[in-house]
Each structure stands twice: as structure tokens, then as C-alpha cells.
Amino acid sequence: MVSSLGCAKIGCKMYDYVATSGMSESGINMLELSRITRNYQRGDLIFKQASPSQELYCLRSGQVLLSHTDAFGHKTAFRVAGPREIIGFRSFFGEDDHAATAEALTNCTICLHTRPTINKLIDTCPGFARVFMRTLARDRGPADALVLRGQHVPVRTRLVYLLLIMKDRQGVKETKGNLSFELPVLRRDIAALLGARAESVTRAISELKKDGVVTIKNRTVTIPSLKRLYAETQRGAEAKAAS
Amino acid sequence: MVSSLGCAKIGCKMYDYVATSGMSESGINMLELSRITRNYQRGDLIFKQASPSQELYCLRSGQVLLSHTDAFGHKTAFRVAGPREIIGFRSFFGEDDHAATAEALTNCTICLHTRPTINKLIDTCPGFARVFMRTLARDRGPADALVLRGQHVPVRTRLVYLLLIMKDRQGVKETKGNLSFELPVLRRDIAALLGARAESVTRAISELKKDGVVTIKNRTVTIPSLKRLYAETQRGAEAKAAS
DNA sequence: CGTACCGTTGAGGTGAGTCAAAGTAAGTGG
DNA sequence: CCACTTACTTTGACTCACCTCAACGGTACG
């Protein structure tokens, strides 16, 4: 079993929420008492699309891929969650079955919080509800990657956007002027995030490499010039102002 | 000026929320006192992308198109709101600038609710917060139309989905076995909803007509067989089960 | 009767999907 | 340590749905 350190000690998001919502010790104790900690192996399903949503999941370590499979059997990924992020909240508060599948990209440790506890927290502290409303409102859910999936933007550009997002989420190393970081996902997952096929991702990668914008070797991304990467973003964007 | 009937009398959504959240008269009075009613003409902007979000808008009559314009100047519509629907709540609770533009498709009457009132309602009644959290969680926002914009689904099929959604939202008439209803939007808006171009929509429409699935003349949609229309939905969906 | 907007139709180009096959990396068991 | 399996990645050839551009028809309104 995992260490029994409290949420406070490990910098858990739920703890932050309870704390910033101006709640006393009692709220934190409530969380601690009902918290369930689980470990997942790489590849494990944390929850599955269309299964009932019972808990709120709070990542302590590891990475999780959230994806949605439509009626046509097409898988679209819309979020990569990391430590200190909460997942499953949309279905939880929507009181709906899970709209997405969560899969462990790496080994993960996750805290589960049950409905009675969360409801009690909401009832006793309006601030807590307010913080969560903010989270819900800001999370675009499957739309998070709206840019990433707009058909009018070429795969190459969408990939660049994704890299810029990933860069800020993953640990970035700097070696002799080059930034580099590790991708937490496979080609096929990148494809799912971009709404493209793995082959197209490969082609976009080799194009970007050819043009010296970024190099992606296996899981390692190397950026010679961040400026150059940002410039890529503007490709074909002579921004015809909207009506 | 518009009639001063209370929200209760006109079946306003906000009133429902306050009522079902088990709140007393006081909550409803609070709403009534601070409510501002406005009229908009067809084509008017109700709020604009990137402008600060100050109020919650509750439609009393008319139809509103919600759309988002990306950095490339591409407009994507993601929702058509009608009477008794609330708009602008995502930015309101996200405490962000508006992520979308709301435009009146027809003449509209809309109630505005200000932040202090809403906050007070949340603070005094956890049930009210809970109801709104449910709304926020269930609203996919710009992703609502995820199916409608999946590139892997042909425009023709996406259009059929849209028609099925519209059918349930608009008043449907039945004349000698044929269902028919009015589209509240222009071709260009349909295109924005589908993530396609107006020309492609036209082509899809004429194809569907040729195959006798639906007829769309100007704004009037005629459906000879609902069964046939649903069947259209399955086009090319030999559902290769996802991995 | 012109202006303006919407809708339709046609011709042409292309980005990305599909299919198929070869190359590479990683784990397993003898 | 090496064959063998399995999974992931890359490359190439082909096809097609949709975009783009451009012209034309229809309807409303001054």
C-alpha cells in the first residue's frame, strides 16, 4: 500500500480547493477519512466510457489519457492529465455515466473521493462549490482541444500547438541552447488528440524535422528555437477578420 | 418596454432552478428585483467574444446563435439557444472573458442577472449551486457539436445529425405523413455548426434530396420518413470496435 | 430597376485518410 | 545471449471528400 500521507502533505488539488474555499479543519478531515488511494499500472483503465460515475479522481502521480469513442468507433483523445489534476468531475457533477475513458499512460497513484463526502462539502461550504463551478466552467472538456481538431488547420500546425501545450506541462530540460522534453504519449495517442491518424502525425513530424523546427525522436522532443516554433503557429494565418 | 411579468409566470429557467433547489420565496424575490429585461433585434450582438462577462442571460423568447472565432478567423458555431435556455454561464462562472459571441437569430427578449445576485443565491442555497454545477457539467460547450464536427464523419451525415437535433428543438408540424419544421439559421450558420463551408452544405442538401431522405427548401425542412433519416445516421458506420 | 445578400452550381486542387509493407524497438523464453 | 513474438513507427502509392475560387440564379427591399 501507498504511504498514508494526508492530502495536505502531498499538495493535492482537492486539499487546495477545500483550503481556498475558506473551510476549517473539519472539511479536510472529512476528505482524509473517506479518501481511498489506488495504484494503477501503465495501460490500466481508471474508468470507462458509459460506466456509472461514482467518484471524483485526484491524481497524485503519473499521467492519464482521457478519450472519447464515438458511435463510429473513432477514438478522440481530449486531455492528458498529470499530478495534482482532478479527473472524472464532469460526469460526476453531471450525474451522468462517464462520457470518457481514462487510461493510465504511466503507473499512477490516484485518490478517490466518494459522492457523499463531496456533497457534504458542497452543502457546508458555498466557497467549495464556487471553486468547483469555476473549474467546470473553465474546463472545455472534449472541446479543450478545439484548435487542435479544427479541420481547417493543417495537422502540422495542430501538432505544433500540442507540443507547445505539452512543453508547459512536462518537465523541460535545457542543454546547449536546446529545449527538450519527453512526450507522455504514443503516436497513436497524439493522433487521437489531434483528430488525425498516426501516419499523418508521422508525416507532420518528419516535415517539421526537415524544416528544422523541432526534432522528435521516439518520445523526446527537441526544440532548437522556441521563437521558430511559435512562428509555426501562424502558418497560413493571414487572419481574415471574421464578419 | 416588455411586460413586467415575473419569471415564475413566464416559465423562466432561472425560476425553475431557484424553485427546484428548495429555496424559499426570498430567493425568487431576489431574482425578480435585480432582473433586467432587454430586447434585441435580429442580427444584434448579445455579447461578444473576448468582452468581459458580467451577467447571466436567460432567454425568454427568440433564438440565439453561439459561435467562436479562432485565431485563424474561422467561425465555428456550437449552439443554437432557444426560449427558457440560459447562455453565457460558462464564462460567467469561469470568471473569464466571453469565449463566444452570441448573436440574435430572431428578435429576442432576454433577462439579465447580475453577479451579486447569483453569488448571493449560491451562498444562501447549496442546492442552487448543485443545480448549476449539473448544468455546467452537462454542457459540453463548444464540444456539444463534437459529432457534428468530427472530420471522419462526412458532411452529409453531420448535417443529418444536426437536423435530428433541430427537429426536437423547433416546432414540428405534420402534414399528410410528412414531418416538417423551420430551420432558424442560414446556410452559412449551418456550415459553421458543422465545421464545413456553405457550399458543402448546399451539396449535402441536394444529395439528401436526390436520395429522398429530406427536402430542404429555403428554411423549411420536410421529412418523408423519420426512420429513413435515422438510417442515414449509420452511413459508413460498420463500427470497427475501438481498441 | 438596381443593389445586396443568399443560395446554388461547376471546375480544379489538395490535405489527409486508407491500405499495405517494411523498419525498429522492446519483452519473452529457451 | 540469441531467436522469436509483439507492438510501435515509418514510408510509399492511391483515392477522395472537402475547400477554394468564380460565376450565376433567386428573392427582398429601397
Side-chain angles (χ1 to χ4, degrees), chain A residues 22 33 50 77 83 123 193:
Chain A
L33 284 173
D123 289 347
L193 284 162

Side-chain angles (χ1 to χ4, degrees), chain B residues 113-135:
Chain B
H113 300 281
T114 54
R115 195 174 290 280
T117 307
I118 302 297
N119 280 350
K120 210 182 290 175
L121 285 174
I122 291 174
D123 289 347
T124 50
C125 179
F128 182 76
R130 203 94 68 74
V131 173
F132 248 112
M133 288 177 91
R134 196 147 167 273
T135 306

Side-chain angles (χ1 to χ4, degrees), chain A residues 36-229:
Chain A
I36 299 165
T37 306
R38 276 206 202 135
N39 290 314
Y40 296 87
Q41 301 286 312
R42 186 197 131 111
D44 283 355
L45 289 185
I46 293 146
F47 52 80
K48 219 181 147 201
Q49 190 171 330
S51 66
S53 167
Q54 312 283 13
E55 297 105 352
L56 219 45
Y57 301 78
C58 185
L59 264 74
R60 286 176 56 169
S61 67
Q63 305 252 11
V64 174
L65 184 76
L66 291 158
S67 63
H68 170 87
T69 303
D70 66 20
F72 299 86
H74 251 96
K75 186 173 157 185
T76 314
F78 59 91
R79 189 175 157 208
V80 179
R84 288 177 49 77
E85 289 193 57
I86 295 173
I87 61 175
F89 58 83
R90 189 166 282 275
S91 312
F92 183 86
F93 289 111
E95 292 159 31
D96 260 334
D97 288 344
H98 283 298
T101 295
E103 183 199 341
L105 290 170
T106 65
N107 291 353
C108 293
T109 304
I110 301 182
C111 293
L112 279 66
H113 299 281
T114 55
R115 195 174 291 281
T117 307
I118 302 298
N119 280 349
K120 211 182 288 175
L121 285 174
I122 292 174
D123 289 347
T124 50
C125 179
F128 182 75
R130 204 93 68 73
V131 173
F132 250 113
M133 288 176 91
R134 195 145 168 275
T135 305
L136 279 166
R138 292 198 159 193
D139 176 74
R140 257 80 188 138
D144 205 4
L146 238 196
V147 189
L148 295 181
R149 271 198 296 282
Q151 316 84 321
H152 43 85
V153 184
V155 170
R156 169 172 173 156
T157 310
R158 282 184 264 164
L159 175 61
V160 171
Y161 272 103
L162 183 65
L163 291 177
L164 287 171
I165 293 170
M166 291 283 191
K167 173 180 74 65
D168 296 329
R169 298 180 38 89
Q170 309 294 2
V172 181
K173 269 188 304 192
E174 181 161 1
T175 33
K176 37 185 166 140
N178 285 0
L179 295 177
S180 70
F181 64 94
E182 297 293 308
L183 282 176
V185 286
L186 302 175
R187 293 285 181 277
R188 106 159 70 93
D189 296 326
I190 299 178
L193 284 162
L194 300 182
R197 303 263 96 153
E199 295 95 321
S200 303
V201 172
T202 293
R203 281 185 245 272
I205 288 174
S206 57
E207 247 196 77
L208 287 171
K209 182 178 179 176
K210 181 168 59 74
D211 296 355
V213 185
V214 279
T215 309
I216 307 180
K217 184 87 180 172
N218 293 321
R219 302 283 193 96
T220 311
V221 182
T222 312
I223 307 171
S225 158
L226 204 51
K227 203 170 169 185
R228 182 85 184 72
L229 190 56

